[in-house]
Coordinates of all heavy atoms in Angstrom, one line a residue:
Chain I
W104 N 85.8 98.1 88.5 CA 85.8 96.6 88.6 C 86.7 96.2 89.7 O 86.4 95.3 90.6 CB 86.3 96.1 87.3 CG 86.5 94.7 87.2 CD1 85.6 93.6 87.0 CD2 87.8 93.9 87.3 NE1 86.3 92.3 87.1 CE2 87.6 92.6 87.2 CE3 89.1 94.4 87.6 CZ2 88.6 91.7 87.3 CZ3 90.1 93.5 87.7 CH2 89.9 92.2 87.5
A105 N 87.9 96.9 89.8 CA 88.9 96.5 90.7 C 88.4 96.8 92.2 O 88.6 96.0 93.1 CB 90.2 97.2 90.5
R106 N 87.7 98.0 92.4 CA 87.2 98.3 93.6 C 86.2 97.4 94.1 O 86.1 96.9 95.3 CB 86.6 99.7 93.7 CG 87.7 100.8 93.5 CD 87.1 102.2 93.7 NE 87.9 103.2 93.1 CZ 89.1 103.6 93.6 NH1 89.5 103.1 94.8 NH2 89.8 104.6 93.1
Q107 N 85.3 96.9 93.2 CA 84.3 95.9 93.6 C 85.0 94.6 94.0 O 84.6 93.9 95.0 CB 83.3 95.8 92.4 CG 82.4 96.9 92.2 CD 81.5 96.7 91.0 OE1 81.9 96.2 90.0 NE2 80.3 97.3 91.1
L108 N 86.0 94.2 93.2 CA 86.7 92.9 93.5 C 87.4 93.1 94.9 O 87.4 92.1 95.7 CB 87.7 92.6 92.4 CG 88.4 91.3 92.5 CD1 87.3 90.2 92.4 CD2 89.4 91.1 91.4
L109 N 87.9 94.2 95.2 CA 88.6 94.4 96.4 C 87.5 94.2 97.6 O 87.9 93.5 98.6 CB 89.2 95.7 96.5 CG 89.9 96.0 97.9 CD1 91.2 95.1 98.0 CD2 90.4 97.5 98.0
T110 N 86.4 94.8 97.5 CA 85.4 94.6 98.6 C 85.0 93.2 98.8 O 84.9 92.7 99.9 CB 84.1 95.5 98.3 OG1 83.4 94.9 97.2 CG2 84.5 96.9 98.0
V111 N 85.0 92.4 97.7 CA 84.6 91.0 97.8 C 85.7 90.3 98.6 O 85.4 89.5 99.5 CB 84.4 90.4 96.4 CG1 84.2 88.9 96.5 CG2 83.2 90.9 95.8
F112 N 86.9 90.5 98.1 CA 88.1 89.9 98.8 C 88.2 90.3 100.3 O 88.5 89.4 101.2 CB 89.4 90.2 98.1 CG 89.7 89.1 97.0 CD1 89.2 89.3 95.8 CD2 90.6 88.1 97.4 CE1 89.5 88.3 94.9 CE2 90.9 87.2 96.4 CZ 90.4 87.3 95.1
R113 N 87.9 91.5 100.5 CA 87.9 92.0 101.9 C 86.9 91.3 102.8 O 87.1 91.0 104.0 CB 87.7 93.5 102.0 CG 89.0 94.3 101.8 CD 88.9 95.6 102.7 NE 89.2 96.8 101.9 CZ 90.3 97.4 101.8 NH1 91.3 96.9 102.4 NH2 90.4 98.5 101.1
R114 N 85.7 91.0 102.2 CA 84.7 90.4 102.9 C 84.9 89.0 103.3 O 84.4 88.4 104.3 CB 83.3 90.6 102.2 CG 82.1 90.1 102.9 CD 80.9 90.9 102.4 NE 80.8 91.1 101.0 CZ 80.4 92.3 100.5 NH1 80.0 93.3 101.2 NH2 80.4 92.5 99.1
H115 N 85.7 88.3 102.5 CA 86.0 86.9 102.7 C 87.6 86.8 102.5 O 88.0 86.3 101.5 CB 85.3 86.0 101.7 CG 83.8 86.3 101.6 ND1 82.9 85.9 102.6 CD2 83.1 86.9 100.7 CE1 81.7 86.3 102.2 NE2 81.8 86.9 101.0
P116 N 88.3 87.1 103.6 CA 89.7 87.1 103.4 C 90.3 85.7 103.2 O 91.4 85.6 102.6 CB 90.3 87.6 104.7 CG 89.1 88.3 105.4 CD 87.8 87.6 104.9
W117 N 89.7 84.7 103.6 CA 90.1 83.3 103.5 C 90.2 82.9 102.0 O 90.9 81.9 101.7 CB 89.2 82.4 104.3 CG 87.8 82.6 104.0 CD1 86.9 83.4 104.7 CD2 87.0 82.0 102.9 NE1 85.7 83.3 104.0 CE2 85.7 82.4 103.0 CE3 87.3 81.1 101.9 CZ2 84.7 82.1 102.1 CZ3 86.4 80.7 101.0 CH2 85.1 81.1 101.1
T118 N 89.5 83.6 101.1 CA 89.6 83.1 99.8 C 91.0 83.3 99.2 O 91.4 82.6 98.3 CB 88.7 84.1 98.9 OG1 88.9 85.4 99.3 CG2 87.2 83.7 99.1
L119 N 91.8 84.1 99.8 CA 93.1 84.3 99.5 C 93.9 82.9 99.5 O 94.5 82.5 98.5 CB 93.9 85.3 100.3 CG 94.1 86.7 99.8 CD1 95.0 87.4 100.8 CD2 94.7 86.6 98.5
E120 N 94.0 82.3 100.7 CA 94.6 81.1 100.8 C 93.9 79.9 100.2 O 94.5 78.9 99.8 CB 94.9 80.7 102.3 CG 93.7 80.9 103.1 CD 94.0 81.1 104.6 OE1 94.7 80.2 105.2 OE2 93.7 82.1 105.2
A121 N 92.6 80.1 99.9 CA 91.9 79.0 99.2 C 92.1 79.1 97.7 O 91.8 78.0 97.1 CB 90.4 79.2 99.6
T122 N 92.6 80.0 97.2 CA 92.8 80.1 95.7 C 94.3 80.2 95.4 O 94.7 80.9 94.5 CB 92.1 81.3 95.1 OG1 92.5 82.5 95.9 CG2 90.6 81.2 95.3
I123 N 95.1 79.6 96.2 CA 96.5 79.7 96.0 C 97.0 78.8 94.9 O 97.7 79.2 93.9 CB 97.3 79.5 97.3 CG1 97.4 80.7 98.1 CG2 98.7 78.8 97.0 CD1 98.6 81.5 97.7
G124 N 96.8 77.5 95.0 CA 97.3 76.6 94.1 C 96.6 76.5 92.7 O 95.7 77.3 92.5
P125 N 97.0 75.6 91.9 CA 96.2 75.4 90.7 C 94.8 74.8 91.0 O 94.7 73.9 91.8 CB 97.0 74.4 89.9 CG 97.9 73.8 90.9 CD 98.1 74.7 92.1
R126 N 93.8 75.4 90.3 CA 92.4 75.0 90.7 C 91.5 75.2 89.4 O 91.8 75.9 88.5 CB 91.9 75.8 91.9 CG 91.7 77.2 91.6 CD 91.5 78.0 92.8 NE 90.8 79.2 92.5 CZ 91.4 80.3 91.9 NH1 92.6 80.2 91.4 NH2 90.7 81.4 91.5
V127 N 90.3 74.7 89.6 CA 89.3 74.8 88.6 C 88.4 76.1 89.0 O 88.0 76.2 90.2 CB 88.4 73.6 88.6 CG1 87.3 73.7 87.5 CG2 89.3 72.3 88.3
M128 N 88.3 76.9 88.0 CA 87.5 78.1 88.3 C 86.0 77.9 88.0 O 85.6 77.1 87.1 CB 88.0 79.3 87.5 CG 89.3 79.8 88.0 SD 89.8 81.4 87.2 CE 90.1 80.8 85.6
G129 N 85.1 78.5 88.8 CA 83.7 78.4 88.5 C 83.2 79.5 87.6 O 83.9 80.4 87.2
P130 N 81.9 79.5 87.3 CA 81.4 80.5 86.4 C 81.4 81.9 87.0 O 81.5 82.9 86.3 CB 79.9 80.0 86.3 CG 79.6 79.1 87.4 CD 80.9 78.5 87.7
G131 N 81.3 82.0 88.3 CA 81.4 83.3 89.0 C 82.7 83.9 88.7 O 82.8 85.1 88.3
E132 N 83.7 83.2 89.1 CA 85.1 83.7 88.9 C 85.3 84.1 87.4 O 85.9 85.2 87.1 CB 86.1 82.7 89.3 CG 86.5 82.8 90.7 CD 87.6 81.8 91.0 OE1 87.4 80.5 91.2 OE2 88.8 82.1 91.0
L133 N 84.9 83.2 86.5 CA 85.1 83.6 85.1 C 84.3 84.8 84.7 O 84.7 85.6 83.8 CB 84.7 82.4 84.2 CG 85.7 81.4 84.1 CD1 85.3 80.5 82.9 CD2 87.1 82.0 83.8
S134 N 83.1 85.1 85.3 CA 82.4 86.3 84.9 C 83.2 87.5 85.3 O 83.1 88.6 84.6 CB 81.0 86.3 85.6 OG 81.1 86.7 87.0
W135 N 83.9 87.5 86.4 CA 84.8 88.6 86.8 C 85.8 88.8 85.7 O 86.1 90.0 85.2 CB 85.5 88.4 88.1 CG 84.6 88.6 89.3 CD1 83.8 87.7 89.8 CD2 84.3 89.8 90.0 NE1 83.0 88.2 90.9 CE2 83.4 89.6 91.0 CE3 84.9 91.1 89.8 CZ2 82.9 90.6 91.9 CZ3 84.4 92.1 90.7 CH2 83.5 91.8 91.7
M136 N 86.5 87.7 85.2 CA 87.5 87.9 84.2 C 86.8 88.5 82.9 O 87.4 89.3 82.2 CB 88.2 86.5 83.9 CG 89.1 86.0 85.0 SD 90.5 87.0 85.2 CE 91.5 86.6 83.8
E137 N 85.7 87.9 82.6 CA 84.9 88.3 81.4 C 84.8 89.9 81.4 O 85.0 90.6 80.4 CB 83.7 87.7 81.3 CG 82.6 88.3 80.4 CD 82.8 87.9 78.9 OE1 83.7 86.9 78.7 OE2 82.2 88.4 78.0
R138 N 84.4 90.3 82.6 CA 84.0 91.7 82.6 C 85.3 92.6 82.4 O 85.2 93.7 81.8 CB 83.4 92.1 84.0 CG 83.2 93.5 84.3 CD 81.7 93.8 84.6 NE 81.5 95.1 85.1 CZ 81.7 96.2 84.3 NH1 82.2 96.0 83.1 NH2 81.5 97.4 84.8
A139 N 86.4 92.2 83.0 CA 87.7 92.9 82.9 C 88.1 92.9 81.5 O 88.5 94.0 80.9 CB 88.7 92.4 83.8
V140 N 88.1 91.8 80.8 CA 88.6 91.7 79.4 C 87.6 92.5 78.5 O 88.1 93.2 77.6 CB 88.6 90.2 79.0 CG1 88.9 90.1 77.5 CG2 89.7 89.5 79.8
C141 N 86.3 92.5 78.9 CA 85.4 93.2 78.0 C 85.6 94.7 78.1 O 85.5 95.4 77.1 CB 83.9 92.9 78.5 SG 82.7 93.5 77.5
A142 N 86.1 95.2 79.3 CA 86.3 96.6 79.5 C 87.5 97.1 78.7 O 87.6 98.3 78.3 CB 86.6 96.9 81.0
L143 N 88.3 96.1 78.3 CA 89.5 96.5 77.4 C 89.3 96.3 76.0 O 90.2 96.5 75.2 CB 90.8 95.7 77.9 CG 91.3 96.1 79.3 CD1 92.3 95.1 79.8 CD2 92.0 97.6 79.2
D144 N 88.1 96.0 75.6 CA 87.8 95.8 74.2 C 88.0 97.2 73.4 O 87.6 98.2 73.9 CB 86.3 95.4 74.0 CG 86.3 93.9 73.6 OD1 87.3 93.4 73.4 OD2 85.2 93.3 73.7

Side-chain angles (χ1 to χ4, degrees):
Chain I
W104 173 86
R106 289 189 200 284
Q107 289 175 324
L108 188 58
L109 180 67
T110 66
V111 171
F112 267 85
R113 274 214 236 260
R114 187 148 39 219
H115 309 288
W117 49 269
T118 48
L119 260 190
E120 49 203 299
T122 54
I123 273 275
R126 69 191 201 287
V127 179
M128 287 190 290
E132 268 186 278
L133 274 195
S134 80
W135 282 90
M136 291 293 287
E137 163 81 11
R138 175 116 173 67
V140 170
C141 187
L143 285 169
D144 258 347

